Amino acid sequence: MFAEILQGVLTKTPGAVAVTIMGFDGIPIDTQDHAGDPALQHQTAIVELGPLATQLQRISESVGTGEVKELSVQTGGLTTVLRWLTDEYFIALSLTPD
């Protein structure tokens, strides 16, 4: 459904290894990645980061700082950026750390 758009993001973003549209319920809508990339743990990371993003949203709203729009997590193997699309969906882009 979103394959062409996600493939465009993947090919036009330097260092990108995977991109996913996912629901905050943990269900992936569509994913594009560089198959066979040994550093690729994107899908596992996204499934784990979804609930964290939801918690951050609740915390932010409860302390009155407004809604969260983006979350970035940098590890030794990947930098992953989650960006809210709607109240139900986000896009996640994983990049090499360099």
Side-chain angles (χ1 to χ4, degrees):
M1 181 171 169
F2 295 102
E4 188 175 319
I5 294 168
L6 294 180
Q7 189 61 41
V9 170
L10 188 63
T11 58
K12 293 177 184 175
T13 305
V17 294
V19 60
T20 298
I21 295 177
M22 182 175 280
F24 283 104
D25 58 4
I27 299 172
I29 307 303
D30 206 342
T31 297
Q32 293 293 310
D33 58 37
H34 292 301
D37 189 321
L40 190 59
Q41 293 297 319
H42 173 82
Q43 196 69 29
T44 302
I46 300 314
V47 169
E48 298 297 328
L49 289 173
L52 177 60
T54 301
Q55 281 186 310
L56 287 172
Q57 182 67 33
R58 287 187 195 130
I59 292 167
S60 179
E61 288 173 0
S62 72
V63 298
T65 58
E67 65 182 305
V68 176
K69 302 216 183 268
E70 188 173 278
L71 169 66
S72 172
V73 178
Q74 185 171 5
T75 65
L78 289 175
T79 297
T80 302
V81 180
L82 280 65
R83 179 105 177 139
W84 279 234
L85 297 173
T86 69
D87 290 341
E88 296 178 31
Y89 301 99
F90 63 90
I91 188 167
L93 177 64
S94 289
L95 306 113
T96 55
D98 55 337

